[in-house]
Amino acid sequence: MSHIIDMKDIVKQYYIGTPNELTVLRGLSFAVEEGEFVSIVGQSGSGKSTLMNIIGALDHPTTGSYLLGGEDIHSMTGNKLSDIRNRRIGFVFQTFNLIPRTSALKNVELPMLYGGMSGGKRTARAKELLDLVGMADRMKHQPNELSGGQKQRVAIARAMANDPDIILADEPTGALDSETGRLVMDIFHRLHREQGKTIVLITHNPELALETERVITISDGSITGDRARDANAVGDDGESGEGGSRESA
């Protein structure tokens, strides 16, 4: 397996050179292999959201290197970064980020529209993806006509639109009740198991993190734990067994 995410000595600072200088990330180094299901867990203020923005090519580190699929993010132009975010990374957010007054079908089509896919092809794929997440019967509904769990399933379908290398999920069950959150996590497990997707889950919930193959814990901007599980320790229903520890990559 090859590394799809490779971060070395990542530092993120704000207000550099001022009395308010703030260091949020303090030299993080880790790698994620293709096809891994990894969680990054930490409490509010730990730096996990800042790290998510860097993984998602939404922000640059102050110092350090980030290779995405072997390509140096630092060297990319704005247009190239936009293309990376559209084609290689599928985002799933706690707040869903669906376009209001637009059907579920059109929401899922949007990344493919930006990617230049023809109308017929993108509609067919959007329908296929909505069926995959159990939303085929709601494809004509607008977000205000959907429950929170239904919105998140549409968001997952949208994240899969351009068949990305990575699904980056930021607190995807944070706005959902436990039963609905379970349904959403089951979809992630299925995408990982059946399609081999690399999934990076950002969460403050240690129990949710334990469903993944590997848990990276951060606190005060530093990695304080990197624990991998046995290949067979995480079941199809998200139940996990005993695992072992590993060195940070």
Side-chain angles (χ1 to χ4, degrees):
M1 285 229 177
S2 59
H3 292 163
I4 192 165
I5 293 171
D6 194 351
M7 293 195 159
K8 293 182 180 176
D9 302 320
I10 296 294
V11 172
K12 184 62 181 180
Q13 296 174 302
Y14 297 95
Y15 316 117
I16 297 171
T18 75
N20 297 323
E21 183 169 303
L22 177 66
T23 302
V24 178
L25 299 179
R26 304 172 183 274
L28 277 66
S29 296
F30 67 94
V32 176
E33 294 180 347
E34 287 186 43
E36 268 197 294
F37 192 171
V38 179
S39 56
I40 297 174
V41 63
Q43 295 304 309
S44 178
S46 62
K48 66 183 186 299
S49 294
T50 300
L51 179 58
M52 185 213 74
N53 287 336
I54 293 173
I55 294 172
L58 298 167
D59 198 2
H60 283 296
T62 305
T63 60
S65 69
Y66 173 25
L67 301 182
L68 177 62
E71 294 186 85
D72 185 358
I73 290 291
H74 247 321
S75 67
M76 294 181 185
T77 64
N79 287 340
K80 176 67 172 176
L81 285 171
S82 294
D83 187 62
I84 287 284
R85 289 190 292 266
N86 187 51
R87 294 179 181 275
R88 301 195 64 181
I89 303 172
F91 295 92
V92 181
F93 298 100
Q94 178 178 343
T95 52
F96 319 126
N97 285 17
L98 300 178
I99 306 299
R101 296 183 296 281
T102 303
S103 70
L105 183 67
K106 295 299 182 185
N107 265 282
V108 177
E109 284 188 42
L110 196 58
M112 294 179 277
L113 175 64
Y114 291 151
M117 187 181 293
S118 67
K121 287 184 178 180
R122 65 175 183 259
T123 298
R125 176 153 176 81
K127 288 179 177 179
E128 175 187 323
L129 290 169
L130 286 167
D131 184 55
L132 178 70
V133 299
M135 288 295 292
D137 60 341
R138 296 286 189 272
M139 67 176 62
K140 295 182 179 179
H141 288 62
Q142 295 182 6
N144 65 356
E145 300 172 310
L146 302 174
S147 69
Q150 289 171 336
K151 290 176 187 176
Q152 196 60 295
R153 283 187 277 165
V154 173
I156 293 170
R158 181 187 57 189
M160 289 288 293
N162 287 322
D163 195 21
D165 300 323
I166 300 166
I167 297 176
L168 184 57
D170 182 24
E171 301 281 8
T173 65
L176 307 176
D177 61 64
S178 58
E179 183 178 353
T180 307
R182 175 73 269 144
L183 293 174
V184 167
M185 284 301 295
D186 287 346
I187 292 172
F188 285 124
H189 284 293
R190 197 164 75 245
L191 291 173
H192 175 246
R193 181 180 69 249
E194 296 176 3
Q195 299 194 22
K197 289 296 177 186
T198 304
I199 302 176
V200 179
L201 173 72
I202 313 294
T203 183
H204 71 279
N205 186 337
E207 291 183 5
L208 206 61
L210 286 173
E211 291 194 19
T212 67
E213 295 176 322
R214 177 178 164 206
V215 180
I216 299 172
T217 305
I218 68 172
S219 178
D220 295 325
S222 298
I223 292 177
T224 57
D226 189 343
R227 183 175 177 82
R229 309 190 95 58
D230 233 4
N232 298 318
V234 181
D236 293 349
D237 57 0
E239 293 183 0
S240 54
E242 295 299 317
S245 60
R246 67 184 278 173
E247 296 293 328
S248 294

